[in-house]
Amino acid sequence: MKTLAYRLKTILTILTLVVLAAFLLAACTDEKDDPAPTASPAPPTDASGAEAFEVVPLDEPLEAPSEVPEELEIIWEVWALLTRDHVDRSSFDAEEFTEAAIRGMLAALDDAHTHYVRPDAFGIESSDLQGEFEGIGANVSMRADGKLIIVAPIEGGPAEAAGIRSGDIILEVDGESLDELSLLAAVSRIRGPRGSKVTLLVKHLGDLDPVEIVVTRDTIPLHSVLLRSEPGARIAHIRLTSFYADSADKLADAIQQVMADGAEGLILDVRDNPGGLLSSVVDITNLFLDADDFDNDDALILYEVNGEGQRTNWKVRRGGLAADIPLVVLTNGGSASASEILVGALQDHNRATAVGATTFGKGTVNIMRQLSNGGGLVVTFARWFTPLGRPIQDEGLTPDVEVDSTDRQAAETQQLERAMEILESVIGSKGSENTRS
């Protein structure tokens, strides 16, 4: 017997071919809608005004391969007829049709969080989640004219050392033009194994002629933990930009540093943090909680429920590094997914005060599967809930203290000031209690 995996693979393959065929057929139908030349007779129509066609029987019935499930035979027939009869069948581009079919299938799900990752982007997305990548170390962007521009070389990276500057245009990589490539396709050509060399044709800002620059690639860390306060500050401000594989360790180091410098309160800033790895947010949340502070051993960070209704609990562990320091979390509409897991757990356990604006509202758990073409499929695997069972999807989390403004800069300033006021009050109260005792 064929395995379930094999059967699913067959079904997905067939569906892909069919949706692609449907895409092509729709395109051809659009062409028929163009006005006909005046010398051509109008096509016959039926009583409803629709174009009428003669039914041409097949010389012999189509027989689907044995591995095609019976319920999908009609789909296979449509694809078989298109590849046999369509006037443009000789120019079919299999790769283009495959990706169009995938997009069509995923659009039918009406799930923005389940999406296809092209082969040229798969390695970039999967490596970035680990908190580092191998390349030249530069932030890049694609201009409106399709030229790849250096936004800024990463400080201390190979690109900076080789003379790459902000505003430079990368024209070629190892002698191959970047014209007509997407941003991710261009980036995938520039990236490569640590220690390998890449030759870039670079046009410096203001220069007439481009120059070749050879850069030796290296491992480039992605910084997700940024200390915003001055050394020795009574209230430390730490910005968390993402949840990478190494973010929990980096955050623990930063917390230890500020506590050693005398910090008595902490602002954890997850504004505009889109999320990241589930394992990372669980580890980070555990920095601020301690299972010994709860009456039972079942204190949760979150729980998730999959498509079969199975529930998985993610529990609080013992020994939280910063379980006692007064804490405020800053949020806004860009705080999503893993950020919301963190905020939800801290709110439900009365561990921190959330200040800012309502969060984004992404309450799904997603996994990425690699496909045989080198691409990937990000799939919504489950929905997650806060420890008290609050759903997040499409709703978001309302902060304990709402501070917002249509002026983004004003909102950010006011949110930080309010967080400072709250912590000053808490720290002052604790100091008074200590004095009285």
Side-chain angles (χ1 to χ4, degrees), residues 212-280:
E212 283 193 349
I213 297 178
V214 178
V215 185
T216 302
R217 301 179 177 105
D218 201 350
T219 300
I220 312 298
L222 293 171
H223 299 291
S224 59
V225 178
L226 307 172
L227 182 58
R228 295 301 196 192
S229 52
E230 296 295 326
R234 189 182 187 201
I235 297 175
H237 177 195
I238 300 177
R239 175 86 190 280
L240 185 63
T241 64
S242 190
F243 291 85
Y244 297 138
D246 63 352
S247 294
D249 290 339
K250 300 292 186 184
L251 181 58
D253 290 343
I255 292 172
Q256 287 177 319
Q257 175 187 330
V258 298
M259 291 176 70
D261 288 342
E264 300 177 51
L266 177 62
I267 297 172
L268 185 61
D269 191 342
V270 294
R271 292 176 295 184
D272 296 318
N273 182 330
L277 297 173
L278 177 59
S279 58
S280 177

Side-chain angles (χ1 to χ4, degrees), residues 5-305:
Y6 179 82
R7 181 180 176 86
L8 289 174
K9 181 179 178 181
T10 301
I11 293 173
L12 286 174
T13 301
I14 295 169
L15 284 174
T16 298
L17 293 175
V18 172
V19 179
L20 289 170
F23 177 83
L24 174 62
L25 186 58
C28 295
T29 303
D30 290 340
E31 291 175 2
K32 290 188 176 75
D33 292 338
D34 291 339
T38 54
S40 301
T45 60
D46 60 20
S48 67
E51 187 175 349
F53 298 95
E54 178 185 0
V55 177
V56 179
L58 294 170
D59 296 333
E60 56 184 42
L62 293 172
E63 293 187 8
S66 59
E67 64 267 21
V68 177
E70 182 178 351
E71 63 270 23
L72 296 179
E73 286 184 0
I74 185 64
I75 297 177
W76 179 88
E77 289 177 15
V78 172
W79 174 248
L81 289 172
L82 283 172
T83 55
R84 190 187 75 169
D85 294 341
H86 196 278
V87 64
D88 293 326
R89 61 188 179 276
S90 63
S91 62
F92 285 2
D93 184 330
E95 181 177 351
E96 179 182 348
F97 283 15
T98 297
E99 296 199 353
I102 294 171
R103 290 192 295 271
M105 283 190 288
L106 297 182
L109 292 175
D110 193 26
D111 176 10
H113 305 305
T114 293
H115 62 275
Y116 173 64
V117 180
R118 290 174 51 88
D120 56 18
F122 180 82
I124 294 173
E125 288 204 13
S126 56
S127 65
D128 285 358
L129 283 173
Q130 301 309 309
E132 62 182 25
F133 66 93
E134 294 182 340
I136 67 169
N139 296 307
V140 299
S141 180
M142 190 70 77
R143 294 195 323 194
D145 61 1
K147 298 298 184 183
L148 189 73
I149 186 171
I150 300 291
V151 176
I154 295 175
E155 185 177 352
E160 183 184 57
I164 302 291
R165 313 167 193 161
S166 297
D168 285 353
I169 297 174
I170 309 298
L171 301 173
E172 295 180 359
V173 177
D174 288 332
E176 295 187 9
S177 173
L178 297 183
D179 288 348
E180 299 184 2
L181 290 185
S182 68
L183 174 62
L184 289 174
V187 169
S188 67
R189 289 195 180 182
I190 295 173
R191 287 191 180 186
R194 176 184 181 184
S196 62
K197 296 182 184 298
V198 59
T199 301
L200 307 176
L201 184 62
V202 179
K203 187 175 183 297
H204 291 306
L205 186 65
D207 289 356
L208 294 177
D209 299 317
V211 294
E212 283 193 349
I213 297 178
V214 178
V215 185
T216 302
R217 301 179 177 105
D218 201 350
T219 300
I220 312 298
L222 293 171
H223 299 291
S224 59
V225 178
L226 307 172
L227 182 58
R228 295 301 196 192
S229 52
E230 296 295 326
R234 189 182 187 201
I235 297 175
H237 177 195
I238 300 177
R239 175 86 190 280
L240 185 63
T241 64
S242 190
F243 291 85
Y244 297 138
D246 63 352
S247 294
D249 290 339
K250 300 292 186 184
L251 181 58
D253 290 343
I255 292 172
Q256 287 177 319
Q257 175 187 330
V258 298
M259 291 176 70
D261 288 342
E264 300 177 51
L266 177 62
I267 297 172
L268 185 61
D269 191 342
V270 294
R271 292 176 295 184
D272 296 318
N273 182 330
L277 297 173
L278 177 59
S279 58
S280 177
V281 68
V282 169
D283 289 342
I284 285 174
T285 306
N286 270 304
L287 294 175
F288 303 102
L289 298 171
D290 189 336
D292 290 334
D293 294 335
F294 297 91
D295 295 332
N296 58 66
D297 294 330
D298 296 322
L300 299 179
I301 292 175
L302 77 152
Y303 67 88
E304 62 182 62
V305 180

